[in-house]
């Protein structure tokens, strides 16, 4: 009988350890999961500074699941007002529907629309807005 109780206790302990060590997965549709991957920067606007249009693969941002973003620029950025002007790896922090890049001192609102990603910061008052399309 004591042997049976020990088996039950051991099995219960193993079950508790197994379930307590499970990592909570984010839903597949969460903003951070949708953000991960390579995005082509297609348009940058900053109110009075004007509108800058780009072609696929001119500028790519790859958001990695480890909290870094790799920016690769394959064109000359003459007179550009974009916040990142050269190839770099930066860090980012997601907080709900906002993303903050370490090198930029404001939060971007993040939205997704038909395979497009829009990062914006107060566009109603001429704040910057960056439009990306999935590669």
């Amino acid at each position: 009988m004591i042997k049976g109780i020990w088996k039950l206790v051991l099995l219960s302990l193993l079950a508790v350890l197994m379930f307590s060590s499970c990592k909570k997965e984010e839903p597949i549709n969460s903003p951070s999961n949708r953000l991960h991957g390579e995005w082509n920067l297609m348009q940058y606007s900053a109110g009075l500074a004007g509108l800058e249009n780009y072609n696929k693969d001119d500028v790519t941002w790859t958001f990695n699941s480890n909290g870094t973003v790799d920016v690769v620029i394959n064109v000359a950025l003459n007179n550009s007002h974009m916040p990142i002007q050269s190839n770099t790896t930066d860090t980012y922090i997601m907080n709900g529907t906002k993303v903050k890049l370490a090198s930029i001192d404001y939060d971007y609102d993040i939205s997704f629309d038909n395979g497009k990603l829009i990062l914006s910061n107060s566009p109603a008052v001429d704040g910057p807005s960056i439009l990306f399309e999935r590669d």
Side-chain angles (χ1 to χ4, degrees):
M1 182 151 136
I2 293 180
K3 221 179 203 184
I5 292 174
W6 275 107
K7 285 182 182 179
L8 185 59
V9 168
L10 184 58
L11 285 173
S12 298
L13 182 60
L14 286 172
V16 167
L17 287 173
M18 187 172 78
F19 288 114
S20 67
S21 66
C22 291
K23 181 180 174 186
K24 182 180 175 187
E25 294 292 324
E26 286 192 59
I28 199 102
N29 294 7
S30 74
S32 65
N33 279 339
R34 292 177 70 190
L35 179 65
H36 296 157
E38 185 174 306
W39 295 90
N40 291 295
L41 189 146
M42 302 305 290
Q43 190 175 76
Y44 177 77
S45 65
L48 297 175
L51 187 65
E52 301 172 23
N53 291 302
Y54 297 93
N55 298 310
K56 181 181 176 197
D57 296 326
D58 283 352
V59 180
T60 60
W61 289 27
T62 304
F63 288 90
N64 303 300
S65 59
N66 67 357
T68 61
V69 58
D70 300 316
V71 178
V72 177
I73 300 172
N74 297 311
V75 295
L77 297 178
N78 300 326
N79 300 317
S80 176
H81 292 93
M82 280 198 309
I84 296 176
Q85 297 275 323
S86 61
N87 295 342
T88 190
T89 297
D90 204 351
T91 58
Y92 71 92
I93 299 171
M94 281 282 307
N95 186 8
T97 60
K98 293 198 178 284
V99 65
K100 180 179 180 89
L101 298 173
S103 64
I104 302 171
D105 54 351
Y106 50 80
D107 292 330
Y108 282 106
D109 292 318
I110 187 170
S111 62
F112 298 92
D113 182 31
N114 276 344
K116 295 180 180 167
L117 162 66
I118 301 167
L119 300 180
S120 59
N121 185 275
S122 304
V125 291
D126 292 334
S129 181
I130 307 173
L131 171 69
F132 297 90
E133 289 183 1
R134 182 70 81 178
D135 195 23

